[in-house]
Amino acid sequence: MNVFWFPIFSFLASLLWLIAIVEGSHKVYPDFQSLSADTVDEVHRTGYHFQPPKHWINGPMYFKGFYHLFYQYNPKGAVWGNIVWAHSVSKDLVNWEALEPAIYPSKPWDKYGCWSGSATILPGDKPVMLYTGIVDDINTQVQVYAVPEDPSDPYLKKWVKPADNPIAVADKGVNATAFRDPTTAWMGKDGKWRMLVGGRNKRKGMAHLYRSKDFKKWVKAKKPIHSAKKTGMWECPDFYPVALDGVNGLDLTSVNDKNVKLVLKNSLDETRFEYYTLGSYNPVKDKYVPDNSSEDGWGGLRYDYGNFYASKSFFDPAKNRRILWGWANESDSKEDDVKKGWAGIQAIPRTILLDKNGKQLIQWPIKEIETLRGQKVELENKKLAKGEHVEVTGITAAQADVEVTFSFDSLDKAEPFDPKWINAQDLCAEKSSKVEGGLGPFGLLTLASAKFEEYTPVFFRVFKAEDKHKVLLCSDASSSSLKKGLYTPSFAGFVDVDLSSKKISLRSLIDHSVVESFGAEGKTCILSRVYPQIAVSDEAHLFAFNNGTETVTVETLTAWSMNNPKMN
């Protein structure tokens, strides 16, 4: 979610993405949606990822010194239903204070639901929230807006819905039940505002383009800014610029610049994962054209190859960075959610930059999360032959931050790569951490029990393709829990990394039921949700391991126990 910034310190880093609730993507559970949690099960509850005290969440903005997280929340139960926009604020994106809910369905244009949206700053420090309203019981969708009752209030406690809503209604050529999630608006060189709205025509996904002179009357362009066949509904579109080099992020005023790349991200309702492309934007024709360096479809680049959805980014002018948020749902059953009394977390906020190769983005946890680091342990130059592992002791392995660099003497033992191996997740399932390799598998065994009845391995495996080496990063939940009936996928992604140094790095943020990993300094990221039965609390262990015939060295490993922030 991008923000158009106006003068000094009146910045609204809009990250309100409030996940879209859509045809088929959110199921109503009438037997459960109003079952309040009398107690909250803490066993798998995260320590430093954002969560409300109890019940169901998925769903953020920055204004006058505060980060604002508005999120869809069921105050009556731990499954979807009874949704309001809950509201928490933070000074640092780590410690959060809960406020009263900000928005409830209350008007004819949102009587049946207040769905996803974004924020924009208008001249005069006037924040405006664009969001999707549901007008009837068949999910007819319109675009509406809300403004703060008191724009001078840094907490933005109360919001008002003006009477001239809705501001955009699906015309004859638009599917009104697949018309949602307006982006942050930006101003073109012609003085007109522009916003995107996700949609589809049959299975062609698209981002509709709307223009406005006054931010109230919006006119749809004849053609979408971009579309792609066989991708299905585009939810939560995000459109923003990234600098070609340097370490600073860009705001939406740079959309029209020449020396930038543009990012268009879409959350895919059919697959429940996201993909993005890098490309260029023609501000005269209002067309986005992807580079042909990656697939414009289901097999395209992803922010995260695991449990990560409905993401939005925003520009943080206080630190000149672009920050990405994503939501991770649960991988257990709805009955489990009701029993434990909560469901859904936010991923750790990540900074976004363009990789030096210009072909992908790189992500890294925000610096502020390091303020939670406590007890520290280190390993250096520990060699691991095939089948060996070493335990990392002296920290709370169930709630930790681990950074490790592996090195190896030779690439000669890398396994041959079969060109038919297109799907990384299928390849990870076939060649798990238990399957002996040449160079790899090597990595971390997270949330492991002492006797390895349970563990979640995060590991690399290196292959030799025809013209280069292919690196696979896996976060495999298949052995994560003895409990039956869980969703335990072998999440994986390929890593475009130069191995000439014969080194590769990994960082994993471990938080009870979350393993959030960043391979090769953030080139490939994977978030897994897991529910161990034995490897919990003090019974959780952390190991570095190797199961390849090539000896690998844990060149450096630093791990910290992570403290709990203030959380609602």
Side-chain angles (χ1 to χ4, degrees), residues 227-245:
S227 62
K229 296 179 180 179
K230 299 180 180 180
T231 53
M233 175 66 198
W234 285 6
E235 297 189 297
C236 302
D238 202 6
F239 185 62
Y240 58 90
V242 288
L244 295 180
D245 53 38

Side-chain angles (χ1 to χ4, degrees), residues 283-535:
V284 177
K285 296 182 179 180
D286 273 326
K287 292 296 292 184
Y288 168 77
V289 181
D291 297 343
N292 55 11
S293 58
S294 68
E295 181 180 335
D296 186 10
W298 283 12
L301 295 168
R302 290 164 62 177
Y303 287 151
D304 193 293
Y305 292 83
N307 189 335
F308 190 91
Y309 195 72
S311 65
K312 282 287 185 176
S313 70
F314 72 95
F315 176 69
D316 178 1
K319 296 190 176 181
N320 284 322
R321 59 186 176 175
R322 180 160 289 276
I323 296 176
L324 173 71
W325 284 77
W327 168 71
N329 64 359
E330 301 301 312
S331 296
D332 55 4
S333 69
K334 297 307 171 188
E335 291 81 1
D336 289 329
D337 293 343
V338 171
K339 184 177 179 180
K340 68 180 188 276
W342 56 272
I345 64 162
Q346 301 302 134
I348 295 299
R350 307 171 180 181
T351 56
I352 309 174
L353 292 171
L354 183 67
D355 190 22
K356 292 178 181 179
N357 66 16
K359 297 180 180 180
Q360 68 166 94
L361 299 173
I362 56 174
Q363 303 161 65
W364 199 248
I366 57 168
K367 188 72 174 176
E368 290 89 331
I369 204 69
E370 296 175 16
T371 63
L372 298 177
R373 287 173 170 175
Q375 179 68 31
K376 174 182 174 181
V377 297
E378 295 178 287
L379 286 177
E380 290 186 355
N381 297 319
K382 176 65 178 178
K383 291 188 179 295
L384 296 175
K386 180 178 70 71
E388 291 186 340
H389 59 265
V390 58
E391 183 168 6
V392 181
T393 60
I395 59 164
T396 55
Q399 190 169 315
D401 183 358
V402 189
E403 294 191 36
V404 57
T405 297
F406 296 97
S407 63
F408 37 87
D409 292 334
S410 173
L411 292 161
D412 293 344
K413 293 182 181 179
E415 301 164 71
F417 183 78
D418 188 335
K420 296 178 182 178
W421 291 337
I422 297 174
N423 187 301
Q425 186 167 324
D426 290 345
L427 180 56
C428 179
E430 178 183 338
K431 291 185 174 290
S432 71
S433 62
K434 302 172 187 177
V435 178
E436 177 185 311
L439 182 48
F442 59 85
L444 299 174
L445 302 178
T446 71
L447 297 174
S449 58
K451 297 181 180 180
F452 299 107
E453 299 97 334
E454 297 177 327
Y455 58 94
T456 299
V458 184
F459 62 92
F460 296 105
R461 188 185 286 264
V462 181
F463 299 90
K464 180 67 171 76
E466 192 170 306
D467 56 345
K468 64 176 183 178
H469 287 89
K470 296 274 285 186
V471 180
L472 181 72
L473 175 64
C474 294
S475 182
D476 186 359
S478 63
S479 56
S480 62
S481 179
L482 295 177
K483 184 174 181 177
K484 304 299 183 183
L486 300 174
Y487 176 51
T488 56
S490 302
F491 286 137
F494 292 109
V495 190
D496 186 5
V497 60
D498 181 5
L499 293 178
S500 60
S501 67
K502 299 183 178 63
K503 295 181 182 180
I504 193 166
S505 68
L506 175 65
R507 182 179 182 184
S508 290
L509 298 170
I510 305 162
D511 198 1
H512 299 279
S513 62
V514 185
V515 181
E516 194 169 354
S517 299
F518 303 80
E521 299 182 335
K523 283 178 172 282
T524 300
C525 309
I526 306 176
L527 188 154
S528 292
R529 299 301 311 276
V530 295
Y531 308 90
Q533 304 301 295
I534 302 173

Side-chain angles (χ1 to χ4, degrees), residues 8 189 191:
I8 305 180
K189 294 181 178 180

Side-chain angles (χ1 to χ4, degrees), residues 23 173-175 178 199-206 208 228-234 269-270:
E23 350 140 62
V174 174
N175 183 342
R200 67 171 175 84
N201 182 354
K202 297 181 180 178
R203 293 197 60 243
K204 178 191 281 190
M206 60 189 60
H208 300 290
K229 296 179 180 179
K230 299 180 180 180
T231 53
M233 175 66 198
W234 285 6
D269 186 34
E270 287 191 16

